Structures are given as structure tokens and as C-alpha cells.
Amino acid sequence: MGLRFAVVCSSNMNRSMEAHAYLSKKSFTVQSFGTGDKVKLPGSAPNKPNVYDFGTSYESIYQDLQDKDRTLYTQNGLLHMLDRNRRIKAGPQRLQECPDKFDVVVSCEERVYDQILEMFESREPTENTPVHIINIDIQDNHEEATIGAFLICDLCTQLEESQDLEDDIDELLQEFESKANRQILHCVQFY
């Protein structure tokens, strides 16, 4: 059986969904999540973000933005992104509310990585099943999200091909870090 992967960013909109889409196409077992308190998207001005609750459907967010300013949200790519997202799953989900267990959780920025660690540290392990938390910093824009999805796929491929993940992971991550020229954070937590 293959590894179970989770990809996590702040709002479960751009980076995690781009990786979710790409990993799904490559037949990985993957889910995606956010860790923020709310789903935040750029608005008509820097101080006017669009804010939604987790659980609001991608369809509802799409319709809301289209009703507010179809031209703006088409030009800045949000409607295109939401169209992709609604074809993958119903809506953004918070990792903190997910009962599922994963072998590897990949975060897309250090702040999200820290939130994931806080989540695990606030829980009492019940099964002592290890989960590898790995961070790859990916800027939150469309181009970087696409590059990030390729990087995450490369990493997941290497992890999936390992015969003994617990034994191999440190070496695999070092090789990946130098090849991708990105700093990787890694920590083991337990369910």
C-alpha cells in the first residue's frame, strides 16, 4: 500500500490545491488542507481581503467573487484557481479538524509547519504511529505554486519508492534539499 500524503498551506486555496491536483493526477493518495483560522483571498485592495469560513464551498466562493467583480477576479486569476479547486473537492478544509491519519504531511511555509507541529504537540498520541512533517517554502502565487507542486511530487515519489522510510528519510531529504536548492524542515510526530 502506498503512503498517505497531506499537503497543507494556510487557506487550502492555492499551493496545497495545486499540489493536490498534480499528485492526484500522478495517482498518489493525497488530501489537502489549510491551517488558518479563516480562508483569506486577495480583495479589491490590500486592506480588504475576502474572508470565508473553512467549509464554505469553492462554488460559493467562486460565485461570491464573480458577483463582486468578475473582471478583477478573472484578471488576478482567482476565478481560474477556484474553478480548478471545485473540480477537485467541495471546499477548503482545516487540517486541525480532520480525523484522517497520514504518513507524510507536507507544508508550504514555515508558519504553517509550526501550526502543524503545535497541533500534534497539543494532542496526546494514542497509537504511536509516526507521521513525517516536512516543510518546503513556496511563495503564495500561481507560478510558485506550480513549481512547488512539481517539487512536492518529486519528493513524494522518492519517499514512496523507499523500502524503509524511517531509515531512509534523513538521507532522502538531504539529497532533495541540495537538488531542489530549497531548505527543508522535518520533524516526526505521532498519532
Side-chain angles (χ1 to χ4, degrees), residues 136-152:
I136 303 173
D137 276 326
I138 299 166
Q139 287 180 5
D140 194 2
N141 62 54
H142 179 71
E143 186 179 334
E144 280 293 313
T146 302
I147 293 166
F150 292 135
L151 288 171
I152 290 168

Side-chain angles (χ1 to χ4, degrees), residues 18-49:
E18 183 72 24
H20 185 157
Y22 192 67
L23 291 170
S24 290
K25 282 182 192 153
K26 298 290 185 178
S27 301
F28 285 95
T29 302
V30 63
Q31 293 184 55
S32 61
F33 301 94
T35 56
D37 293 327
K38 299 276 187 189
V39 173
K40 294 182 183 129
L41 292 171
S44 56
N47 62 342
K48 294 182 182 173

Side-chain angles (χ1 to χ4, degrees), residues 103-122:
D103 300 299
V104 178
V105 176
V106 181
S107 61
C108 299
E109 69 176 274
E110 193 168 345
R111 182 175 55 88
V112 171
Y113 175 82
D114 291 340
Q115 289 171 325
I116 296 168
L117 294 183
E118 284 172 22
M119 178 191 86
F120 276 99
E121 289 165 2
S122 71

